[in-house]
RNA sequence: GCCCCCAUAGUUCAAGGGAUAGAACAAUAGUUUCCUAAACUGUAGAUACUGGUUCGAGUCCAGUUGGGGGUACCA
């Protein structure tokens, strides 16, 4: 990064000298030189034209000449239209590689050095059904964003707020009670979350039947939905739960335990974890005091029936209820309470919520209400709003059975990885345990990369057939590149070609060697950008580019077989760094890379 | 109705207001006596429409069309 700062300073000096004018930092725009042109960094000269009172090419030429004279690192320059392309010396790039080769984690900011604490809430499942593809996107994003923020030097707390109470939970409980005949995960051999999910579906089926029957007897749909015995019973169960009824609470605890056991398996398979787990059953009453306080201060309003509201019409939004007329809280109340609790307990600088974009309005309101209540830290709440995952046949709907189950999908990916590997037969001498470890890495790598390479905020398409592809812009492509480099490095070591100390900077680099080095140079900025944008896609696309660039380099350069010892040393060194960088980048995505595949 | 988001090759994705819009898959033509061919190299193919701002627009603004989401004393 230092080179850019240096160049910017020099440009400012040169402009001052040539045109006797001061320029601000914003006017000095450096960008990477596009591949089709000769050069490393490009200065956009359009902003200087008014000062220079010259045409773009003339101005660029003049600035280029001065820079070349004054900066040792610049070997030459060229001008295309208003773009001044600067080429650095090969020696600069070799020295750069030498310098970063001494850093084991080049690009990663040392842990917890930024002085900031950031909380990332993600996953937040309901305990009435198993995790599906939508949850996978949430979990992978949350985990990865947390890792990326860590790599930017922040202290990060990963938290999960489990939705373990409410009418929807009572539905599966009630169905189990009615039709479960004491089934347990043990007795059925089913994962706990799957078992409970089945009863949630069962409730819905029976409920629909009842509605149909009521409508046949002349009720309207709304009346039928409201008056059905099943929903009445579920409501009563929720009241009993809240009243502390022992039997209901025991059933609730038991069924939730089943679900958690099932979730743990899925979380483990996805490779995600949490520093702290919150349960809604313990937090759902939070926020009430804050709302009442807001009412007292005249910030909120109360209607005749006693319900408390925020009037957001002045901000272009609606009225939003914060406490029901019976004094109970809504989701928003809880979020106000938990946010307050977290910011004060952990002294947070920032809090990111990984939640789907259907909640955009909710978070808009949350931030606004907190702000109105006088909590300035509301500005530090960030809703990482991600798009839905769609299937070729349309949206996933749990009740219509068009969901892609998380466990099934992972299993399928790993199985395909295994089949492909066996076909290629490269791992035949590996132990079964090691090989199955590799299959796991590849299957999950394919899935994780597929999901994370897409900009989080965009709706994405998941086509089960295509997504299982392991060629091209995929996780396995990146993993393969890593494995191949590792193989080359093993061969180098066996041949006794270990690189001790610095590579001489007196060598000439080929275009590909320069390009690879420049890509490595971009890694720190990539991590910074991914952090700023909360976007794993930035990292994913970067490691893909890097792997692709390496494969091209590899295709027409010998590494171990290169006879010139200095060139060989450089190539071994750059190969090593590419492997390290791929590995670090993949780690930020929660993706492992194998030594062989 | 009102509010928000999105629209790029046949398909799935890229492109911090900058140069000739990149990849991959699919299609098609090639590359293994040589460090892993899950690789590499060709060919063909795209900014929904109409205006505007700018030296410069896929990117910013307005409108049109098409898609998604939200708008509950649900979570």
């Amino acid at each position: 990064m230092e080179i850019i700062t240096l160049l910017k300073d020099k440009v400012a000096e040169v402009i001052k000298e040539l045109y006797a004018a001061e320029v601000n930092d914003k006017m000095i725009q450096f960008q990477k030189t596009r591949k089709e042109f000769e050069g490393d960094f490009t200065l956009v000269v359009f902003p200087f034209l008014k000062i220079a009172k010259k045409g773009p090419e003339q101005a660029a030429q003049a600035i280029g000449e001065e820079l070349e004279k004054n900066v040792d690192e610049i070997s030459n320059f060229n001008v295309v239209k208003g773009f001044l392309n600067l080429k650095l010396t090969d020696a600069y790039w070799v020295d750069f590689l030498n310098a970063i080769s001494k850093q084991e984690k080049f690009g990663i900011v040392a842990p917890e050095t930024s002085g900031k604490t950031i909380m990332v809430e993600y996953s937040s499942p309901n305990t009435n059904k198993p995790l599906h593809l939508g949850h996978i996107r949430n979990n992978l994003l949350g985990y990865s964003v947390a890792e990326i923020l860590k790599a930017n030097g922040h202290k990060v707390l990963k938290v999960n707020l489990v939705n373990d109470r409410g009418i929807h939970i009572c539905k599966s409980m009630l169905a189990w009670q009615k039709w479960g005949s004491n089934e347990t995960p043990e007795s059925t051999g089913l994962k706990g979350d799957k078992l409970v999910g089945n009863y949630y579906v069962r409730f819905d089926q029976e409920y629909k039947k009842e509605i149909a029957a009521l409508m046949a007897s002349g009720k309207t749909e709304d009346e039928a939905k409201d008056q059905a015995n099943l929903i009445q019973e579920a409501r009563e169960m929720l009241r009993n739960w809240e009243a502390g009824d022992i039997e209901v609470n025991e059933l609730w605890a038991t069924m939730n335990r089943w679900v958690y056991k099932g979730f743990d398996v899925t979380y483990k398979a996805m490779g995600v974890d949490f520093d702290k787990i919150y349960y809604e059953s313990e937090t759902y009453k939070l926020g009430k005091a804050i709302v009442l306080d807001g009412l007292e201060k005249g910030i909120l309003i109360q209607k005749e029936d006693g319900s408390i509201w925020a009037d957001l019409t002045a901000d272009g939004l609606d009225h939003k209820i914060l406490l029901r007329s019976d004094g109970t809280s809504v989701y928003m109340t809880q979020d106000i309470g938990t946010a307050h609790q977290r910011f004060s307990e952990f002294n947070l600088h920032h809090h990111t919520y990984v939640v789907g974009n259907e909640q955009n309005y909710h978070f808009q309101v949350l931030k606004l209400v907190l702000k109105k209540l006088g909590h300035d830290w509301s500005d530090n709440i960030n809703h990482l709003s991600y798009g839905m995952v769609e299937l070729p046949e349309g949206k996933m709907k749990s009740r219509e059975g068009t969901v892609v189950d998380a466990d099934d999908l992972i299993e399928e990916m790993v199985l395909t990885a295994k089949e492909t590997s066996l076909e290629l037969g490269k791992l035949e001498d590996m132990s079964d345990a090691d090989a199955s470890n590799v299959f796991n890495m590849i299957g999950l790598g394919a899935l994780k990369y597929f999901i994370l390479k897409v900009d989080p905020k965009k709706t994405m398409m998941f086509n089960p057939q295509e997504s299982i592809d392991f060629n091209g812009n995929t996780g396995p492509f990146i993993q393969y590149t890593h494995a191949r480099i590792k193989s080359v490095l093993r061969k180098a070591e066996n041949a006794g070609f270990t690189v001790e100390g610095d590579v001489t900077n007196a060598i000439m680099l080929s275009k590909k060697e320069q390009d690879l080095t420049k890509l490595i140079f971009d890694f720190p900025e990539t991590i910074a950008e991914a952090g700023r944008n909360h976007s794993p896609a930035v990292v994913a696309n970067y490691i893909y580019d890097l792997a692709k660039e390496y494969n091209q380099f590899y295709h027409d350069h010998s590494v171990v077989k290169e006879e010139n010892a200095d060139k060989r040393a450089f190539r071994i060194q750059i190969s090593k760094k590419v492997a390290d960088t791929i590995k670090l980048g993949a780690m930020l995505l929660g993706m492992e890379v194998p030594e062989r595949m």
Side-chain angles (χ1 to χ4, degrees):
Chain A
M1 246 26 41
E2 287 157 24
I3 187 74
I4 299 286
T5 318
L6 175 84
L7 289 175
K8 283 191 169 183
D9 288 351
K10 291 290 181 187
V11 169
E13 279 175 34
V14 166
I15 300 278
K16 198 172 173 184
E17 199 183 303
L18 284 173
Y19 310 115
E22 296 285 341
V23 288
N24 58 45
D25 193 63
K26 252 174 97 181
M27 289 167 74
I28 307 177
Q29 294 175 40
F30 267 106
Q31 50 191 252
K32 288 184 66 182
T33 301
R34 295 187 59 139
K35 277 201 164 171
E36 56 268 36
F37 302 102
E38 171 76 11
D40 297 331
F41 298 106
T42 296
L43 178 71
V44 183
V45 300
F46 292 107
F48 309 128
L49 297 184
K50 277 186 188 142
I51 297 172
K53 300 193 177 83
K54 294 230 166 72
E57 312 219 350
Q58 280 173 293
Q61 183 67 27
I63 296 167
E65 280 168 16
E66 284 303 307
L67 282 176
E68 190 180 9
K69 242 186 276 173
N70 288 309
V71 185
D72 292 341
E73 286 83 354
I74 296 177
S75 67
N76 58 65
F77 72 94
N78 64 79
V79 174
V80 181
K81 295 180 189 169
F83 299 91
L84 171 59
N85 300 322
L86 301 173
K87 180 108 185 71
L88 303 190
T89 60
D90 284 353
Y92 170 79
W93 290 116
V94 176
D95 288 341
F96 165 74
L97 180 66
N98 280 327
I100 62 164
S101 289
K102 298 180 184 81
Q103 303 175 38
E104 206 173 315
K105 293 191 170 177
F106 171 72
I108 308 281
V109 180
E112 303 188 13
T113 49
S114 76
K116 286 190 177 169
T117 303
I118 298 178
M119 185 171 276
V120 178
E121 180 188 295
Y122 71 102
S123 200
S124 310
N126 291 332
T127 58
N128 63 344
K129 52 183 180 239
L131 304 178
H132 57 66
L133 185 52
H135 297 109
I136 290 186
R137 191 173 193 191
N138 181 305
N139 282 277
L140 297 182
L141 273 174
Y143 179 85
S144 179
V145 164
E147 292 303 310
I148 288 167
L149 291 171
K150 280 187 202 170
N152 277 282
H154 306 307
K155 180 176 178 185
V156 177
L157 294 164
K158 291 180 273 190
V159 305
N160 186 359
L161 173 59
V162 180
N163 223 301
D164 63 342
R165 65 166 285 282
I167 190 80
H168 51 300
I169 309 294
C170 291
K171 288 178 183 175
S172 30
M173 286 162 62
L174 189 65
W176 183 85
Q177 218 172 36
K178 284 182 176 296
W179 307 292
S181 37
N182 285 313
E183 274 188 4
T184 66
E186 291 76 26
S187 77
T188 56
L190 275 177
K191 257 179 103 228
D193 52 333
K194 298 278 160 60
L195 180 72
V196 171
N198 288 347
Y199 285 101
Y200 184 67
V201 172
R202 179 70 184 269
F203 177 94
D204 198 62
Q205 291 165 345
E206 302 287 344
Y207 182 37
K208 272 191 181 138
K209 274 189 223 163
E210 215 186 322
I211 292 170
L214 286 171
M215 285 169 73
S217 70
K219 308 257 187 203
T220 68
E221 188 177 351
D222 285 345
E223 283 170 348
K225 276 184 178 166
D226 186 56
Q227 292 168 10
N229 281 324
L230 271 175
I231 198 73
Q232 301 271 15
E233 283 183 71
R235 284 184 195 137
E236 197 195 332
M237 192 177 234
L238 182 61
R239 279 193 294 275
N240 288 337
W241 179 88
E242 292 200 10
D245 180 281
I246 292 176
E247 200 188 329
V248 171
N249 271 276
E250 273 176 6
L251 176 63
W252 171 79
T254 304
M255 288 182 72
N256 274 344
R257 240 188 337 267
W258 294 345
V259 173
Y260 297 142
K261 221 174 153 188
F263 281 175
D264 281 346
V265 171
T266 312
Y267 283 144
K268 209 167 170 211
M270 286 192 290
V272 304
D273 55 17
F274 306 96
D275 297 307
K276 189 172 167 72
I277 296 181
Y278 292 92
Y279 296 93
E280 201 191 302
S281 55
E282 292 165 3
T283 62
Y284 79 104
K285 288 178 177 161
L286 287 173
K288 222 165 150 173
I290 300 174
V291 170
L292 291 173
D293 187 52
L295 178 67
E296 210 161 289
K297 288 182 178 150
I299 302 165
L300 304 174
I301 51 173
Q302 187 160 35
K303 294 196 177 170
E304 304 83 48
D305 61 10
S307 55
I308 301 177
W309 299 71
D311 179 359
L312 307 173
T313 46
D315 301 277
L317 302 178
D318 288 329
H319 288 247
K320 184 74 194 177
I321 187 155
L322 298 178
L323 275 182
R324 296 189 184 102
S325 50
D326 63 4
T328 58
S329 16
V330 292
Y331 189 37
M332 186 64 73
T333 326
Q334 180 196 231
D335 265 1
I336 289 171
T338 51
H340 186 269
Q341 189 194 50
R342 291 172 184 180
F343 268 89
S344 53
E345 183 181 352
F346 298 102
N347 199 13
L348 299 181
H349 293 84
H350 207 88
H351 190 341
T352 287
Y353 293 81
V354 183
V355 181
N357 63 10
E358 72 272 16
Q359 302 283 357
N360 284 355
Y361 185 71
H362 174 83
F363 280 95
Q364 208 183 340
V365 171
L366 175 66
K367 291 186 66 163
L368 195 54
V369 169
L370 284 170
K371 190 99 192 217
K372 279 188 180 293
L373 292 171
H375 301 298
D376 287 338
W377 44 262
S378 149
D379 289 334
N380 300 323
I381 288 177
N382 167 246
H383 173 207
L384 173 49
S385 156
Y386 63 90
M388 313 229 147
V389 185
E390 285 181 357
L391 300 173
E393 56 271 28
K395 259 190 84 172
M396 285 192 289
K397 296 214 172 86
S398 336
R399 289 169 188 165
E400 291 168 23
T402 53
V403 286
V404 175
D405 178 78
D407 298 314
D408 294 351
L409 179 59
I410 291 170
E411 196 187 326
E412 197 185 340
M413 296 298 279
V414 172
L415 194 70
T416 310
K418 183 176 177 179
E419 283 166 1
T420 310
S421 289
L422 293 179
E423 236 169 74
L424 292 169
K426 292 181 185 176
L427 302 178
E428 277 159 2
D429 58 328
M430 209 181 249
S431 76
D432 284 356
D434 288 349
S436 95
N437 194 25
V438 173
F439 304 150
N440 240 299
M441 271 187 212
I442 298 173
L444 273 159
L447 178 60
K448 290 182 178 186
Y449 184 83
F450 184 86
I451 303 264
L452 292 176
K453 76 173 178 184
V454 182
D455 184 342
K457 61 178 186 288
K458 292 199 174 170
T459 302
M460 67 176 292
M461 174 63 65
F462 185 87
N463 184 329
Q465 273 87 48
E466 284 177 21
S467 312
I468 286 177
D469 205 330
F470 289 2
N471 302 314
N473 188 356
T474 65
F477 171 89
I478 290 159
Q479 292 171 316
Y480 170 76
T481 307
H482 179 266
R484 192 158 74 166
I485 296 173
K486 284 297 184 171
S487 166
V488 171
L489 292 174
R490 281 190 296 270
K491 292 221 156 88
E493 204 167 328
N494 288 340
F497 298 149
T498 49
V499 181
E500 311 256 342
D502 287 351
V503 175
T504 173
N505 69 11
I507 53 173
M508 292 246 303
L509 300 182
S510 71
K511 180 88 168 77
K512 280 286 162 213
E513 286 169 328
Q514 290 167 357
D515 288 347
L516 255 189
T517 315
K518 284 192 263 176
L519 259 181
I520 300 280
F521 175 89
D522 290 338
F523 189 47
E525 177 52 29
T526 302
I527 289 179
E529 193 194 334
R532 282 195 300 271
N533 299 344
H534 293 93
S535 175
V538 171
V539 175
N541 290 320
Y542 170 81
I543 56 174
Y544 171 69
D545 286 341
L546 183 61
K548 185 152 184 62
E549 193 70 46
Y550 186 85
N551 282 331
Q552 291 168 0
F553 156 82
Y554 181 83
H555 186 258
D556 39 38
H557 292 71
S558 296
V559 179
V560 180
K561 296 188 174 173
E562 170 59 43
E563 289 177 6
N564 180 309
D566 291 335
K567 283 188 179 178
R568 187 174 61 224
F570 177 85
R571 289 176 192 173
I572 289 172
Q573 203 71 306
I574 191 91
S575 297
K576 205 162 169 306
K577 210 62 210 171
V578 170
D580 289 348
T581 305
I582 288 178
K583 187 171 187 171
L584 288 171
M587 259 172 48
L588 297 181
L589 304 179
M591 218 173 107
E592 290 182 280
V593 287
E595 298 290 310
R596 287 181 54 191
M597 71 182 266

